Amino acid sequence: MYSGWMSTSERLIESTRELLWERGYVGTSPKAILERSGAGQGSMYHHFDGKQDLALAAIRRTAEELRATAEGVLGGPGTPYERIEAYLRRERDVLRGCPIGRLTMDPDIVASDDLRAPVDETLDWIRERIAGIVEEGKEQGRFAASLDGEEIAATVIATVQGSYVLARASGSPAAFDTAVRGLLSLLAPQSS
């Protein structure tokens, strides 16, 4: 499944990332990780202290990737509104859900301070980044002065995560798109 240039530890991390997204922590057995990665039986314990250590490496990698993707659009060109719009409209596998947001539904992840930390840190980072963009837009006169950056950022995160749920429930990305359009219409700069 993985190319020959990828090290065994990388194959283990990538396999675990995929399995956590698909099955959650409990459903991600060491056997499934080894089968997907094509690694030998002792490989996981050679490279990692166990399933939790490997899962933590996988979650951290997913969190880093999600932050980099978000920064790519939030730190890109355009007005504050256009950058938030780009974040909301960026290409996603909507019916698969968010690889970080889905972990918040996993009781084993939430119960572990270590496993939960990169999830919480990533959502906080995105929220803070969006709040800063809203404040930037207010300073430029592009957003109403009455908007609270923290509240808008929380609303953006809630819209994205909730829209994944709506899309998965309906089996259609249309629900995600509808929610994004609704939020953008509320944020759209008012013409004078």
Side-chain angles (χ1 to χ4, degrees):
M1 174 165 199
Y2 295 102
S3 65
W5 62 265
M6 192 181 281
S7 71
T8 300
S9 63
E10 285 297 309
R11 290 193 328 260
L12 289 165
I13 291 169
E14 290 303 312
S15 295
T16 303
R17 288 178 64 198
E18 293 170 11
L19 289 164
L20 287 171
W21 195 1
E22 293 168 14
R23 303 178 184 182
Y25 186 77
V26 170
T28 300
S29 68
K31 181 180 178 185
I33 293 168
L34 293 173
E35 285 176 2
R36 175 129 348 157
S37 68
Q41 187 150 3
S43 296
M44 186 169 96
Y45 298 100
H46 173 74
H47 294 285
F48 301 94
D49 289 337
K51 177 182 169 181
Q52 182 167 336
D53 187 42
L54 176 53
L56 181 58
I59 293 167
R60 284 182 177 150
R61 175 81 52 84
T62 299
E64 290 166 9
E65 186 178 283
L66 187 63
R67 282 192 297 263
T69 300
E71 182 56 32
V73 291
L74 293 172
T79 66
Y81 175 85
E82 290 167 342
R83 288 164 33 219
I84 292 171
E85 178 182 32
Y87 172 75
L88 289 167
R89 293 188 188 270
R90 76 172 177 78
E91 189 163 330
R92 294 173 162 88
D93 189 350
V94 173
L95 295 180
R96 221 171 151 202
C98 175
I100 288 293
R102 287 194 61 187
L103 295 175
T104 65
M105 304 301 277
D106 191 312
D108 293 295
I109 301 285
V110 173
S112 167
D113 290 342
D114 290 339
L115 295 177
R116 188 182 65 249
V119 173
D120 187 37
E121 291 163 6
T122 300
L123 294 173
D124 279 347
W125 181 89
I126 294 170
R127 195 169 40 247
E128 289 171 12
R129 188 69 175 93
I130 293 170
I133 293 170
V134 171
E135 294 303 321
E136 177 187 331
K138 287 169 52 177
E139 290 169 11
Q140 295 174 2
R142 296 180 181 270
F143 288 132
S146 61
L147 290 183
D148 180 289
E150 292 290 327
E151 291 175 358
I152 297 301
T155 302
V156 169
I157 297 292
T159 299
V160 169
Q161 295 303 318
S163 296
Y164 281 126
V165 171
L166 294 174
R168 288 172 59 89
S170 69
S172 169
F176 187 96
D177 297 337
T178 299
V180 165
R181 281 194 312 274
L183 177 57
L184 287 171
S185 71
L186 295 172
L187 287 178
Q190 304 299 312
S191 53
S192 313

Short mmCIF file of all heavy atoms in Angstrom, two decimals, residues 7 28 31 35 53 63 67 84 89 95 105 111 113 118 120 128 171 192:
data_model
loop_
_atom_site.label_atom_id
_atom_site.label_comp_id
_atom_site.label_asym_id
_atom_site.label_seq_id
_atom_site.Cartn_x
_atom_site.Cartn_y
_atom_site.Cartn_z
N SER A 7 9.75 4.82 5.39
CA SER A 7 10.28 3.98 6.47
C SER A 7 9.15 3.23 7.18
O SER A 7 7.97 3.60 7.07
CB SER A 7 11.04 4.84 7.48
OG SER A 7 10.12 5.64 8.22
N THR A 28 -9.09 0.73 16.15
CA THR A 28 -7.77 0.68 15.53
C THR A 28 -6.90 -0.27 16.34
O THR A 28 -6.23 0.12 17.29
CB THR A 28 -7.15 2.10 15.48
OG1 THR A 28 -8.01 2.94 14.71
CG2 THR A 28 -5.77 2.08 14.86
N LYS A 31 -3.20 -5.15 15.24
CA LYS A 31 -3.23 -6.05 14.09
C LYS A 31 -3.64 -5.29 12.82
O LYS A 31 -3.02 -5.47 11.76
CB LYS A 31 -4.21 -7.20 14.35
CG LYS A 31 -4.30 -8.19 13.21
CD LYS A 31 -5.29 -9.31 13.52
CE LYS A 31 -5.37 -10.25 12.33
NZ LYS A 31 -6.38 -11.27 12.49
N GLU A 35 -1.38 -4.76 9.48
CA GLU A 35 -1.88 -5.21 8.18
C GLU A 35 -1.87 -4.07 7.17
O GLU A 35 -1.42 -4.23 6.04
CB GLU A 35 -3.29 -5.78 8.31
CG GLU A 35 -3.32 -7.16 8.94
CD GLU A 35 -4.73 -7.69 9.16
OE1 GLU A 35 -5.72 -7.00 8.79
OE2 GLU A 35 -4.86 -8.79 9.73
N ASP A 53 1.24 5.34 22.19
CA ASP A 53 2.37 6.14 21.72
C ASP A 53 2.29 6.33 20.20
O ASP A 53 2.50 7.44 19.69
CB ASP A 53 3.68 5.45 22.12
CG ASP A 53 4.91 6.28 21.82
OD1 ASP A 53 4.88 7.52 22.07
OD2 ASP A 53 5.91 5.70 21.37
N ALA A 63 -2.74 16.66 13.20
CA ALA A 63 -2.93 18.03 13.68
C ALA A 63 -2.01 19.00 12.95
O ALA A 63 -2.45 20.08 12.52
CB ALA A 63 -2.68 18.09 15.19
N ARG A 67 -3.30 22.07 10.55
CA ARG A 67 -2.88 23.45 10.78
C ARG A 67 -2.21 24.03 9.54
O ARG A 67 -2.46 25.18 9.16
CB ARG A 67 -1.96 23.55 11.99
CG ARG A 67 -2.69 23.49 13.30
CD ARG A 67 -1.81 23.88 14.47
NE ARG A 67 -0.68 22.99 14.65
CZ ARG A 67 -0.65 21.98 15.50
NH1 ARG A 67 -1.68 21.76 16.30
NH2 ARG A 67 0.41 21.21 15.59
N ILE A 84 -11.33 34.03 5.22
CA ILE A 84 -12.25 33.16 5.96
C ILE A 84 -13.11 32.36 4.99
O ILE A 84 -13.32 31.15 5.18
CB ILE A 84 -13.11 33.98 6.95
CG1 ILE A 84 -12.22 34.55 8.06
CG2 ILE A 84 -14.24 33.13 7.53
CD1 ILE A 84 -12.91 35.55 8.97
N ARG A 89 -14.53 27.30 2.29
CA ARG A 89 -14.82 26.66 1.00
C ARG A 89 -13.68 25.77 0.49
O ARG A 89 -13.82 25.17 -0.58
CB ARG A 89 -15.13 27.72 -0.05
CG ARG A 89 -16.41 28.48 0.20
CD ARG A 89 -16.73 29.39 -0.99
NE ARG A 89 -17.84 30.27 -0.75
CZ ARG A 89 -19.10 29.97 -1.02
NH1 ARG A 89 -19.41 28.79 -1.49
NH2 ARG A 89 -20.04 30.86 -0.79
N LEU A 95 -17.85 14.05 3.38
CA LEU A 95 -18.56 12.88 3.89
C LEU A 95 -17.68 12.01 4.79
O LEU A 95 -18.20 11.19 5.55
CB LEU A 95 -19.14 12.06 2.74
CG LEU A 95 -20.22 12.77 1.93
CD1 LEU A 95 -20.72 11.88 0.81
CD2 LEU A 95 -21.37 13.22 2.82
N MET A 105 -15.16 12.77 19.29
CA MET A 105 -16.29 11.88 19.54
C MET A 105 -15.84 10.53 20.10
O MET A 105 -16.67 9.70 20.43
CB MET A 105 -17.07 11.65 18.24
CG MET A 105 -17.53 12.94 17.58
SD MET A 105 -18.59 13.91 18.63
CE MET A 105 -20.11 13.09 18.31
N ALA A 111 -10.76 10.84 26.99
CA ALA A 111 -10.39 10.45 28.36
C ALA A 111 -8.88 10.53 28.61
O ALA A 111 -8.45 10.55 29.76
CB ALA A 111 -10.87 9.03 28.63
N ASP A 113 -5.55 12.66 28.52
CA ASP A 113 -5.00 14.02 28.39
C ASP A 113 -3.97 14.07 27.26
O ASP A 113 -3.93 15.04 26.50
CB ASP A 113 -4.36 14.48 29.70
CG ASP A 113 -5.38 14.75 30.80
OD1 ASP A 113 -6.59 14.92 30.48
OD2 ASP A 113 -4.98 14.78 31.98
N PRO A 118 -3.29 17.27 21.43
CA PRO A 118 -3.09 17.83 20.09
C PRO A 118 -4.40 18.19 19.39
O PRO A 118 -4.42 19.10 18.56
CB PRO A 118 -2.33 16.74 19.34
CG PRO A 118 -2.25 15.56 20.22
CD PRO A 118 -2.75 15.92 21.56
N ASP A 120 -7.17 19.38 20.98
CA ASP A 120 -7.56 20.65 21.60
C ASP A 120 -6.67 21.80 21.11
O ASP A 120 -7.17 22.87 20.77
CB ASP A 120 -7.49 20.51 23.12
CG ASP A 120 -8.04 21.71 23.85
OD1 ASP A 120 -9.03 22.31 23.38
OD2 ASP A 120 -7.47 22.07 24.90
N GLU A 128 -8.04 30.78 17.28
CA GLU A 128 -7.26 32.00 17.50
C GLU A 128 -6.86 32.66 16.18
O GLU A 128 -6.88 33.89 16.06
CB GLU A 128 -6.01 31.69 18.32
CG GLU A 128 -6.31 31.36 19.76
CD GLU A 128 -5.10 30.84 20.53
OE1 GLU A 128 -3.95 30.94 20.01
OE2 GLU A 128 -5.30 30.32 21.64
N GLY A 171 -25.81 12.04 3.95
CA GLY A 171 -25.13 11.34 2.87
C GLY A 171 -24.82 12.24 1.69
O GLY A 171 -24.56 11.77 0.59
N SER A 192 -22.29 50.11 1.85
CA SER A 192 -22.74 51.37 2.45
C SER A 192 -23.87 52.00 1.70
O SER A 192 -24.03 51.94 0.56
CB SER A 192 -21.59 52.37 2.49
OG SER A 192 -20.43 51.79 2.98
#
